[in-house]
Amino acid sequence: MQKASMAAIDMVNKVTNLAVHVYKSYEKNGKLYAMVNGKERSAPNGYFTDGNKIYIDINAGNKGNGLMLFTLSHEVGHYIAKWNAQDFKAISDFLFEHYGENVPILDMLKYQKEKLKASYKEDGKPIPSEAQLEKEAQEELVCDMLSRMLADK
């Protein structure tokens, strides 16, 4: 799975203006960690930085068993949200319409907000306003749904 994921990442780097980088998390005390922006933290499966850089953990998901491409799809969603709000809105509307009937959206948004609060706390940052948290949670949810949509036959 990692080899196939690396081939896909190479292709994305060749045919887009994205710069996808792969890093390797490490295990410590039974958990995965990585250096993110110079600080050790629980390893994210991946992250997007301003501009066009996406970072994917080679151990994404279940110790590298298949989630690199899902993570890449998720992070590409953040890229679209940042640089093309109109198309991200269209994607969001489609996903909420298509999956909304079968998925408990409100519960998932609540879960995303809790994850974001924990992340802010871990980073030592103040938790943003409820409105900002709602916006960020919705973006996270759409990016998660985008990952699943790309694998949906």
Side-chain angles (χ1 to χ4, degrees):
M1 290 297 276
Q2 288 174 332
K3 188 175 180 180
S5 296
M6 291 300 293
I9 287 170
D10 285 343
M11 182 60 68
V12 167
N13 282 332
K14 287 177 186 171
V15 301
T16 71
N17 71 337
L18 291 170
V20 182
H21 305 275
V22 176
Y23 68 93
K24 185 176 182 179
S25 59
Y26 51 92
E27 194 167 342
K28 180 177 163 183
N29 301 325
K31 291 180 72 182
L32 289 177
Y33 289 89
M35 295 301 288
V36 177
N37 298 324
K39 182 179 177 185
E40 182 181 63
R41 61 174 289 180
S42 296
N45 286 324
Y47 59 99
F48 163 73
T49 62
D50 285 343
N52 67 339
K53 295 182 178 125
I54 292 175
Y55 296 85
I56 306 293
D57 183 2
I58 198 161
N59 297 316
N62 187 14
K63 299 204 179 196
N65 290 326
L67 284 183
M68 285 178 73
L69 292 178
F70 289 105
T71 302
L72 178 61
S73 300
H74 177 98
E75 298 308 327
V76 167
H78 287 299
Y79 174 79
I80 295 168
K82 173 77 175 177
W83 295 110
N84 192 335
Q86 185 176 358
D87 282 350
F88 187 77
K89 171 89 169 87
I91 290 168
S92 299
D93 291 346
F94 170 80
L95 289 171
F96 280 117
E97 181 181 321
H98 183 73
Y99 290 107
E101 297 172 5
N102 305 317
V103 176
I105 299 287
L106 295 178
D107 292 340
M108 293 174 79
L109 281 171
K110 183 178 176 183
Y111 172 74
Q112 290 293 350
K113 282 191 220 177
E114 294 305 315
K115 277 180 37 181
L116 286 165
K117 286 178 186 177
S119 179
Y120 277 105
K121 186 176 179 181
E122 182 178 5
D123 290 343
K125 295 178 181 176
I127 295 173
S129 69
E130 186 63 27
Q132 182 62 30
L133 203 57
E134 180 78 21
K135 180 181 176 192
E136 290 178 26
Q138 191 166 23
E139 182 176 319
E140 285 296 323
L141 180 57
V142 168
C143 290
D144 280 353
M145 292 168 79
L146 180 61
S147 297
R148 286 170 180 82
M149 180 195 78
L150 294 176
D152 187 343
K153 295 177 183 171

